[in-house]
Amino acid sequence: METILSPHPIYPISPLLNPKSSSPKTLLSWFTHAQQGLAALALSLALNFCPLVYSGNALASEFDVINEGPPKDSYVVDDAGVLSRVTKSDLKQILSDLESRKNFRINFITVRKLTSKADAFEYADQVLEKWYPSVEEGNNKGIVVLITSQKEGAVTGGPAFVQAVGETVLDSTVSENLPVLATEEKYNEAIYSSAKRLVAAIDGLPDPGGPTIKENKRESNFKSREETEEKRGQFSLVVGGLLVIAFVVPMAQYYAYVSKK
């Protein structure tokens, strides 16, 4: 049986595999497409792995809280979005009852992180001064702040509020209820237990106390500075290598091919 062979290949042959049928213009076009593809890959990796630079608005949540003033229909500004509806409802119940009986108002604020140089105590003082500019307005007001990313909090207030609560309960709330429970990411319990402790102190009731501090520390999931720098260096090498391949290698191959003509 005679085998019939086609004079032309069934599949087109790449110009690189068939240099005799390729012109320098064709090769230049192919290298240009390859160069663009590799450059796009390097750019994609850079966008996916490099730290993003956020705009000022994304980092201004703590200032928004200050400028918006105290909440009118509740006692909570949950900017971090960590409190449940049940916790907010329970807080409103006990805090509204306290305000109606004792004329003390306590506002609770959660913030993801502070982008300014202020720590939790400085930020709490800033809120108090902005929301209640005069001593008369802020005399019987209390501010409780919880910074979720830093796992820390602060309590501040006017002279009457500080005197009614007492330094011991204030210090214990800041050193026990807020940081210990926040470290375990029990934000609802951290806020509500702090509220109950402050209200009990104002009412002259026995101090319910803070949570039990566990001796064993949780293993941190955050990378150290050395690990971060090492990963960043490895990434720079990968991107740099891709850029070299994208721009240098295709041109070198092209000139080598042209020089043989």
Side-chain angles (χ1 to χ4, degrees):
M1 178 181 295
E2 182 179 359
T3 302
I4 301 177
L5 298 176
S6 172
H8 301 287
I10 298 176
Y11 300 101
I13 299 177
S14 170
L16 291 181
L17 300 178
N18 189 16
K20 293 183 179 180
S21 62
S22 304
S23 63
K25 184 177 181 180
T26 302
L27 285 174
L28 179 60
S29 175
W30 187 91
F31 284 129
T32 300
H33 286 295
Q35 179 181 355
Q36 292 174 350
L38 289 171
L41 177 59
L43 178 60
S44 176
L45 285 174
L47 291 176
N48 283 324
F49 292 100
C50 280
L52 297 177
V53 179
Y54 294 96
S55 62
N57 293 333
L59 298 177
S61 61
E62 77 241 44
F63 304 110
D64 293 338
V65 171
I66 294 177
N67 295 329
E68 288 175 1
K72 297 179 180 179
D73 300 327
S74 69
Y75 297 81
V76 180
V77 178
D78 185 24
D79 185 72
V82 295
L83 301 182
S84 66
R85 290 184 178 181
V86 174
T87 298
K88 294 177 182 179
S89 176
D90 291 343
L91 285 172
K92 185 174 183 179
Q93 182 177 352
I94 66 171
L95 295 177
S96 61
D97 177 68
L98 175 70
E99 188 173 15
S100 63
R101 293 186 296 101
K102 298 288 187 176
N103 196 30
F104 282 96
R105 180 182 177 91
I106 309 176
N107 293 303
F108 285 79
I109 302 170
T110 67
V111 179
R112 294 179 183 86
K113 67 176 180 178
L114 296 178
T115 59
S116 61
K117 295 182 180 179
D119 60 17
F121 287 96
E122 291 177 356
Y123 180 68
D125 288 336
Q126 290 176 7
V127 173
L128 181 66
E129 293 173 4
K130 181 66 176 180
W131 286 7
Y132 310 105
S134 65
V135 176
E136 291 76 13
E137 289 180 283
N139 186 44
N140 58 345
K141 306 298 191 302
I143 301 293
V144 181
V145 174
L146 175 63
I147 314 299
T148 58
S149 65
Q150 298 169 223
K151 314 300 183 186
E152 66 177 11
V155 181
T156 190
F161 171 81
V162 173
Q163 183 178 2
V165 176
E167 294 291 342
T168 301
V169 174
L170 288 173
D171 293 341
S172 298
T173 302
V174 171
S175 61
E176 296 173 6
N177 297 72
L178 294 175
V180 172
L181 293 171
T183 300
E184 299 176 2
E185 297 187 355
K186 297 178 179 179
Y187 303 117
N188 289 274
E189 187 177 348
I191 292 296
Y192 189 63
S193 65
S194 299
K196 290 194 299 182
R197 197 168 186 180
L198 296 174
V199 171
I202 295 174
D203 284 334
L205 300 176
D207 182 16
T212 303
I213 301 177
K214 296 180 180 180
E215 294 296 333
N216 54 326
K217 297 182 179 179
R218 297 177 60 188
E219 184 178 355
S220 174
N221 293 325
F222 295 101
K223 293 182 174 61
S224 65
R225 182 176 180 181
E226 291 76 11
E227 291 174 334
T228 303
E229 293 296 333
E230 181 181 358
K231 293 294 183 182
R232 185 176 301 173
Q234 293 174 355
F235 169 72
S236 300
L237 289 176
V238 172
V239 174
L242 286 173
L243 291 175
V244 170
I245 296 174
F247 293 99
V248 177
V249 175
M251 297 306 299
Q253 292 178 341
Y254 171 71
Y255 286 122
Y257 174 75
V258 171
S259 62
K260 294 180 180 179
K261 286 290 185 178

